[in-house]
């Protein structure tokens, strides 16, 4: 059949199918030749290489006719360029491959599926030096993300300008400042949690969360918060006979610290730093303060507009299947629900409480009247690319970047699908989501291999790189995950009833593997998570329970564990991993198994790992620890095990690929201070986990007096800060306090914007040394030992900045510094350090003492004999 006649017939059949004309499929040609799409194509063309179509919908419709009669894979070639979306490309069962053949959406590596709208026409704003504005693109009424030459801009933010007293519906402010803003109802309060450290406050709804709620109105000094976000964050049901224990068993029942917000975001009045922006919806104008070196006359400025880019809408009866996406980049999509009344009332890992009475019933099952089941079934963050009931859906060599929700969601009913060779970065929330926790058809047979996930989450900082819910036969292997704000991999759900002595909630999970991944520089903003975090039943026995094997996990910043077996985590095997430089523990925790009355622990096997924790072999009522080896350095570990973790050789070029434009790092976060003497402050902060395409080289702390005058400055290298976790700012005016401190990060491209300021603090002379640590233990092997101790619960008149360890063999004292030395002290979490170079069968006495600005306190002492 001549090409023009075949194209005409395909067009006719497409029209007949759209009209539901019977027999249209039977009349379709059996052609399986490829289709071609180009940004400059024509949808009246026939889709051949010489006459490509223009839109993805047109290509889909042409492929829909051919897909019913495939005799080979059908490839839809997408030429390089940008394909702009206002709505998602919707795919359903009609768009599936047949006869074992796939429909392949093939990009070039420079093919971008974009939900962005370009912002042009920039002009300086009169009477506001450094501020520019442009008309909002037609139809853009709201967005949460703006990008300049591929670099995410920061929504205007700053310190809350008033003192707030919490009320049932919001706050009473100390003045009418917020009410006098142009559009106070645009603004939202952000409640950053994490551990309470030095004078850093713990806000939010648990150390792992960062909820957000918008202002509904501000009149005078009355600030009314948007509903239902406010109630969902403050009225969570608590057990009447267990004070402080929510029925959800996750976090507090209300915003902590009297509902104090960490900062406020999205107001014109907060525009004061280069890189900040604001959309005035009523005036239809976008405002932006360019960074150094940016020219808005030449820049590509993209406002994220579409909320989904691809939406695979399979059903249980009609799954979408046998589709592949290769060599594509998915970018510039947003998520607007957090801007509305629902806000972002976080529970964990991007799950939220939603609905007018969500706080009272959502996911609470048998524990409250009218509670919805299954227990802990809350609302999952959506994916900007998503599939439900997708079978044999393959993503390979794709990029998910500059996105405003989760990057990719392989949700309910996903089966036998793969994600490989991809890059996930610059994503507001979770990188990749698999399955769900709503009790519907679990995802199964999903393979996630050889991907690089880094520099996320950018907005919802309690998000994780890979979220795996109730799933079966899934494999997460040979990925590299680095520079993330919270946990790297989060597995399972619904294990919390053991907190009240009830058995873990049954779920569909079994036969999942997390193996041979390389995970480092994780938990760089929030706390109480892990490199690999799991909760709930993972199977029905040790045979089909979760396997965590062959992973290399190191350099954790926040308080947590390398491998975290949280509440209800049962039948997990943790074997053959390399775990070092954690804050608090390598593998934890122990939980009672309440499925019977035998007093056992949740069955868990921790075997043959290389670690620093040093726990002795034992069988603690089902928690089996055996054959683990203390490592003093990476050289103790067989080289092939280390080399095997992370990306396999064929995929390591992903690590050299740069996504987005070069930029200065993101500002550090959660800055805190402690006295370092009468004229000095110690400063700690969370490092920049978004590095801008070049490693952070150093940090600069600056002190300001009450008038805003800078009175001190100190720069440290990134390496020194990693080692000590603090900066000393000396030479401050002896009578000029209190002082606030901001911190900037620098790389090869420049310096970040300043961080949000610390709370004010006046330095004082520290004269009272800290008390001794408690419960020292020496866990010995033949040539090494792990010294473990509990930090002192009180520290005199200054904060702990480290510990001094002495060993009886006469070596120089060992100074123990780093983030864990700081963050374990407020909650008296245990610490440990490895001591190497010991002799077998020898008695050693070791002491440990806390160090503050007042000096070194008294020591705790322990003696033990190394093994033979």
């Amino acid at each position: 059949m001549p090409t023009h006649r075949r194209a005409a017939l395909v067009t006719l059949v497409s029209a007949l199918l759209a009209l539901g004309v019977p027999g249209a499929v039977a009349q379709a040609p059996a052609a399986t030749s490829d289709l071609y799409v180009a940004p400059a194509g024509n949808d009246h063309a026939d889709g051949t290489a010489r006459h490509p179509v223009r839109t993805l919908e047109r290509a889909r419709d042409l492929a829909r006719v051919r897909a019913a009669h495939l005799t080979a894979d059908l490839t839809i070639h997408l030429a390089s360029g940008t394909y702009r979306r206002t709505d998602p490309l919707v795919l359903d069962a009609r768009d599936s491959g047949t006869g074992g053949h796939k429909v392949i959406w093939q990009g070039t590596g420079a093919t971008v599926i974009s939900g962005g709208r370009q912002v042009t026409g920039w002009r300086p704003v009169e009477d506001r030096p450094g501020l520019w504005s442009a008309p909002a693109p037609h139809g853009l009424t709201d967005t949460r993300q703006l990008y300049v030459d591929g670099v995410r801009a920061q929504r205007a933010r700053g310190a809350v300008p008033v003192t707030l007293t919490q009320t049932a519906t919001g706050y009473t402010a100390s003045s009418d400042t917020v009410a006098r803003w142009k559009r106070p109802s645009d603004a939202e309060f952000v409640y950053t949690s994490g551990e309470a450290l030095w004078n850093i406050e713990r806000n939010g709804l648990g150390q792992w969360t960062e909820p957000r709620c918008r202002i509904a109105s501000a009149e005078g000094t009355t600030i009314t918060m948007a509903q239902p976000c406010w109630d969902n964050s403050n009225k969570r049901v608590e057990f009447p006979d267990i004070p402080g224990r929510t029925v959800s068993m996750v976090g507090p029942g209300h915003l902590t610290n009297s509902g104090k917000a960490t900062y406020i975001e999205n107001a014109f009045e907060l525009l004061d730093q280069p890189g900040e922006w604001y959309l005035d919806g009523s005036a239809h104008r976008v405002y932006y303060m360019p960074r150094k070196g940016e020219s808005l006359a030449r820049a590509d400025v993209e406002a994220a507009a579409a909320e989904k880019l691809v939406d695979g809408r399979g059903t249980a009866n009609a799954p979408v299947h046998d589709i592949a996406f290769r060599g594509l980049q998915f970018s510039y999509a947003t998520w607007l629900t957090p801007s509305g009344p629902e806000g972002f009332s976080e529970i964990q890992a991007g799950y939220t409480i939603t609905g007018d009475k969500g706080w009272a019933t959502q996911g609470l099952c048998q524990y409250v009247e009218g509670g919805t089941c299954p227990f802990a079934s809350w609302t999952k963050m959506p994916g900007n690319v998503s599939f439900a009931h997708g079978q044999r859906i393959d993503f390979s060599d794709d990029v998910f970047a500059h996105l405003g929700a989760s990057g990719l969601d392989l949700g309910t009913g996903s089966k036998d699908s793969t994600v490989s060779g991809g890059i996930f970065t610059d994503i507001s929330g979770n990188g990749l989501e698999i399955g769900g926790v709503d009790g519907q058809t679990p995802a199964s047979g999903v393979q996630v291999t050889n991907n690089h996930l880094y520099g996320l989450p950018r907005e919802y900082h309690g998000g994780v790189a890979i979220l795996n819910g109730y799933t079966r036969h899934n494999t997460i292997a040979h990925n590299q995950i680095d520079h993330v704000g919270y946990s790297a991999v989060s597995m399972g759900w619904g294990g919390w009833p053991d907190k009240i002595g009830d058995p873990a909630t049954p779920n569909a999970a079994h036969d999942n593997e997390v193996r041979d991944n390389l995970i480092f520089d994780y938990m760089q903003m929030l706390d109480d998570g892990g490199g690999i975090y799991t909760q709930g039943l993972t199977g029905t026995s040790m045979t089909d329970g979760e396997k965590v094997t062959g992973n290399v996990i190191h350099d954790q910043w926040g308080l947590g564990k390398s491998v975290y077996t949280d509440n209800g985590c049962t039948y997990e095997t943790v074997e053959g991993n390399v775990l070092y430089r954690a804050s608090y523990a390598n593998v934890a925790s122990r939980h009672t198994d309440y499925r019977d009355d035998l007093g056992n622990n949740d069955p868990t096997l921790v075997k043959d790992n290389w670690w620093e924790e040093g726990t002795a072999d034992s069988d603690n009522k089902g928690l089996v620890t055996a054959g683990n080896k203390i490592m003093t350095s990476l050289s103790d570990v067989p080289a092939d095990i280390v080399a095997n973790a992370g990306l396999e050789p064929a995929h390591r070029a992903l690590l050299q690929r740069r996504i987005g434009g070069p930029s200065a790092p993101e500002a550090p976060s959660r800055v805190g201070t402690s006295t370092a003497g009468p004229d000095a402050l110690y400063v700690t902060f969370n490092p920049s986990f978004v590095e801008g395409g070049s490693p952070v080289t150093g940090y600069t702390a600056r002190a300001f007096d009450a008038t805003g005058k800078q009175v001190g400055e100190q720069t440290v290298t990134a390496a020194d800060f990693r080692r000590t976790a603090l900066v000393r700012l000396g030479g401050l005016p002896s009578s000029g306090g209190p002082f606030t401190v901001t911190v900037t990060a620098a790389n090869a491209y420049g310096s970040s914007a300043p961080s949000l300021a610390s709370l004010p603090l006046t330095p004082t002379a520290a004269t009272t040394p800290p008390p001794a640590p408690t419960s020292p233990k020496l866990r010995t092997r033949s040539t090494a030992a792990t010294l473990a101790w509990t930090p002192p619960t009180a520290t005199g008149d200054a904060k702990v900045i480290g510990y001094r360890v002495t060993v009886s063999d006469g070596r120089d004292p060992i100074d123990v510094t780093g983030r864990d030395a700081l963050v374990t002290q407020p909650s008296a979490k245990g610490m440990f350090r490895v001591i190497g170079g010991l002799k077998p069968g020898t008695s050693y006495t070791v002491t440990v003492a806390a160090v503050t600005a007042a000096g070194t306190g008294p020591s705790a002492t322990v003696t033990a004999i190394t093994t033979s």
Side-chain angles (χ1 to χ4, degrees):
M1 180 183 295
T3 299
H4 70 280
R5 291 186 62 192
R6 182 169 63 246
L9 181 55
V10 168
T11 301
L12 174 61
V13 171
S14 296
L16 293 174
L17 283 169
L19 293 172
V21 176
V25 172
Q27 299 169 27
T32 57
S33 57
D34 293 349
L35 291 167
Y36 293 83
V37 193
N42 187 330
D43 276 355
H44 295 291
D46 57 11
T48 59
R50 295 185 61 186
H51 301 98
V53 298
R54 181 177 62 84
T55 66
L56 305 186
E57 280 81 4
R58 182 60 179 151
R60 175 201 64 191
D61 293 344
L62 291 175
R64 187 172 283 178
V65 176
R66 302 182 185 188
H69 300 274
L70 292 184
T71 58
D73 289 346
L74 169 59
T75 301
I76 304 171
H77 298 271
L78 277 65
S80 296
T82 299
Y83 298 80
R84 294 190 178 273
R85 313 291 313 163
T86 56
D87 296 303
L89 172 67
V90 176
L91 303 174
D92 58 31
R94 295 171 293 175
D95 304 301
S96 305
T98 56
H101 304 298
K102 288 187 179 292
V103 175
I104 302 169
W105 296 77
Q106 178 70 58
T108 65
T111 302
V112 181
I113 312 300
S114 171
R117 304 288 296 278
Q118 283 188 306
V119 185
T120 59
W122 292 95
R123 297 288 185 271
V125 176
E126 292 185 9
D127 303 323
R128 284 292 304 271
L131 185 63
W132 291 61
S133 77
H138 179 71
L140 182 73
T141 58
D142 194 9
T143 183
R144 296 181 65 89
Q145 293 85 30
L146 188 79
Y147 302 85
V148 181
D149 287 332
V151 177
R152 181 181 292 234
Q154 170 63 55
R155 286 208 309 175
R157 68 174 184 171
V160 180
V162 292
T163 300
L164 299 174
T165 302
Q166 188 173 2
T167 68
T169 58
Y171 300 98
T172 299
S174 57
S175 74
D176 65 350
T177 299
V178 174
R180 290 186 283 107
W181 285 357
K182 290 175 63 175
R183 290 174 59 86
S185 62
D186 281 355
E188 66 188 32
F189 287 131
V190 183
Y191 307 87
T192 306
S193 195
E195 290 292 335
L197 170 64
W198 290 7
N199 64 347
I200 301 173
E201 294 180 333
R202 178 194 293 173
N203 301 320
L205 290 160
Q207 297 94 304
W208 53 91
T209 67
E210 191 181 56
R212 296 165 170 262
C213 286
R214 184 175 60 80
I215 293 174
S217 65
E219 298 179 4
T221 60
T222 299
I223 296 177
T224 303
M225 299 300 290
Q227 294 287 14
C229 186
W230 185 248
D231 282 353
N232 286 337
S233 303
N234 284 290
K235 287 188 175 181
R236 298 180 180 182
V237 181
E238 296 182 356
F239 287 107
D241 55 342
I242 311 177
R245 172 66 70 201
T246 56
V247 172
S248 73
M249 302 178 216
V250 184
H254 52 81
L255 292 168
T256 55
N257 198 16
S258 299
K260 187 172 182 179
T262 309
Y263 61 94
I264 189 168
E265 187 173 282
N266 198 43
F268 177 82
E269 289 75 11
L270 300 173
L271 281 165
D272 62 357
Q273 296 293 334
E276 288 188 333
W277 69 278
Y278 169 71
L279 170 64
D280 187 332
S282 61
H284 305 291
R285 295 202 70 80
V286 182
Y287 294 87
Y288 178 66
M289 189 170 286
R291 301 176 177 97
K292 183 179 179 180
E294 287 179 335
S295 170
L296 294 182
R298 298 189 300 271
D300 173 27
V301 182
E302 300 279 348
E307 293 194 74
K308 275 194 184 293
L309 300 176
V310 177
D311 192 4
R313 298 178 182 174
T315 67
N317 294 326
V320 56
H321 57 88
D322 295 290
I323 302 176
F325 300 86
R326 299 174 181 170
L328 303 174
Q329 177 169 327
F330 302 96
S331 291
Y332 304 124
T334 189
W335 177 37
L336 297 179
T337 295
S339 296
E342 291 282 6
F344 189 74
S345 182
E346 189 169 24
I347 282 284
Q348 185 171 333
Y351 284 88
T352 57
I353 295 180
T354 58
D356 290 344
K357 293 290 185 180
W359 59 271
T361 62
Q362 190 173 0
L364 303 187
C365 217
Q366 74 269 25
Y367 294 107
V368 298
E369 185 176 353
T372 58
C373 291
F375 174 64
S377 175
W378 291 297
T379 303
K380 186 174 68 174
M381 178 184 297
N384 291 132
V385 177
S386 67
F387 276 82
H389 292 284
Q391 299 181 6
R392 297 177 297 283
I393 307 298
D394 299 333
F395 288 88
S396 59
D397 304 318
D398 298 310
V399 173
F400 297 83
H402 317 319
L403 297 172
S406 170
L408 172 62
D409 177 22
L410 299 179
T412 296
S414 294
K415 184 176 181 181
D416 298 334
S417 297
T418 62
V419 182
S420 66
I423 295 175
F424 293 76
T425 189
D426 189 18
I427 297 169
S428 288
N430 298 321
L432 167 63
E433 298 177 336
I434 312 167
V437 296
D438 55 6
Q440 299 185 35
T441 308
S444 64
V446 177
Q447 309 289 308
V448 180
T449 60
N450 287 296
N451 300 283
H452 187 200
L453 303 97
Y454 68 98
L456 59 90
R458 296 297 303 273
E459 188 173 1
Y460 312 108
H461 292 116
V464 301
I466 300 176
L467 177 66
N468 186 88
Y470 294 152
T471 65
R472 299 172 175 174
H473 298 286
N474 284 4
T475 299
I476 300 171
H478 285 295
N479 303 284
Q480 177 168 316
I481 304 173
D482 60 271
H483 293 85
V484 292
Y486 180 52
S487 296
V489 179
S490 185
M491 304 280 290
W493 207 251
W496 305 294
D498 68 354
K499 291 182 178 181
I500 60 169
D502 281 358
T505 306
N507 66 69
H510 60 79
D511 290 291
N512 291 310
E513 291 184 275
V514 187
R515 60 174 175 81
D516 304 319
N517 299 285
L518 174 60
I519 298 170
F520 61 93
D521 288 341
Y522 59 100
M523 289 181 62
Q524 293 199 295
M525 187 168 176
L526 298 183
D527 294 285
D528 200 4
I532 299 171
Y533 171 93
T534 303
Q535 55 159 268
L537 292 162
T538 73
T540 62
S541 67
M542 295 303 299
T543 300
D544 69 1
E546 181 182 322
K547 306 295 188 294
V548 176
T549 62
N551 303 282
V552 174
I553 305 174
H554 64 90
D555 286 288
Q556 171 188 305
W557 186 257
L559 186 67
K561 295 99 177 177
S562 307
V563 178
Y564 194 161
T565 57
D566 205 355
N567 288 88
C569 179
T570 304
Y571 300 128
E572 178 168 329
T573 297
V574 182
E575 182 175 3
N577 303 281
V578 180
L579 313 170
Y580 60 102
R581 289 202 288 268
S583 292
Y584 180 32
N586 288 138
V587 182
S589 302
R590 180 206 64 79
H591 297 286
T592 301
D593 186 351
Y594 290 102
R595 294 176 300 164
D596 53 39
D597 296 322
L598 301 179
N600 291 321
N601 293 318
D602 292 326
T604 307
L605 176 62
V606 183
K607 179 184 178 185
D608 293 339
N609 300 284
W610 286 263
W611 64 358
E612 296 174 327
E613 185 173 328
T615 304
D617 291 0
S618 68
D619 183 349
N620 183 11
K621 299 180 180 179
L623 171 57
V624 178
T625 304
N628 302 289
K629 294 164 275 294
I630 294 177
M631 56 181 290
T632 59
S633 70
L634 201 57
S635 62
D636 294 338
V637 181
D640 59 334
I641 293 176
V642 176
N644 187 55
L647 301 177
E648 294 178 287
H651 295 274
R652 289 177 185 166
L654 287 177
L655 302 178
Q656 316 307 279
R657 186 173 178 186
R658 173 181 291 165
I659 305 300
S663 70
E666 190 173 73
S669 63
R670 304 195 76 228
V671 180
T673 55
S674 171
T675 190
D679 65 345
L681 290 173
Y682 286 121
V683 183
T684 191
F685 49 89
N686 287 339
S688 303
F689 62 90
V690 179
E691 296 194 313
S694 174
V696 171
T697 55
Y699 297 96
T700 299
R702 296 178 175 89
F704 301 86
D705 65 17
T707 69
K709 177 184 176 182
Q710 182 176 325
V711 294
E713 179 176 314
Q714 183 64 52
T715 297
V716 297
T717 67
D720 280 346
F721 180 71
R722 180 184 288 271
R723 178 176 55 82
T724 65
L726 55 83
V727 179
R728 189 179 189 277
L729 259 173
L732 302 177
S734 58
S735 60
F739 304 110
T740 58
V741 176
T742 64
V743 183
T744 57
N747 67 5
Y749 302 120
S751 293
S752 72
S755 67
L756 295 168
S758 68
L759 292 174
L761 183 69
T762 299
T764 59
T767 59
T768 305
T774 59
S775 306
K777 296 179 178 63
L778 203 58
R779 303 164 180 165
T780 61
R781 294 295 186 266
S782 60
T783 59
T786 295
L787 173 66
W789 69 92
T790 301
T793 56
T795 61
D797 48 14
K799 304 295 186 182
V800 169
I801 59 172
Y803 296 87
R804 173 151 288 196
V805 174
T806 64
V807 185
S808 58
D809 60 5
R811 70 181 70 190
D812 290 339
I814 302 167
D815 288 326
V816 176
T817 60
R819 182 67 164 194
D820 56 341
L822 312 183
V823 79
T824 54
Q825 193 277 321
S827 53
K829 298 291 188 183
M831 282 196 67
F832 56 82
R833 279 296 186 276
V834 172
I835 302 170
L838 305 180
K839 297 178 180 179
T842 303
S843 176
Y844 289 91
T845 298
V846 179
T847 69
V848 57
V851 180
T852 72
T856 302
S859 298
T861 303
V862 61
T863 299
I865 300 173
T866 54
T867 64
S868 299

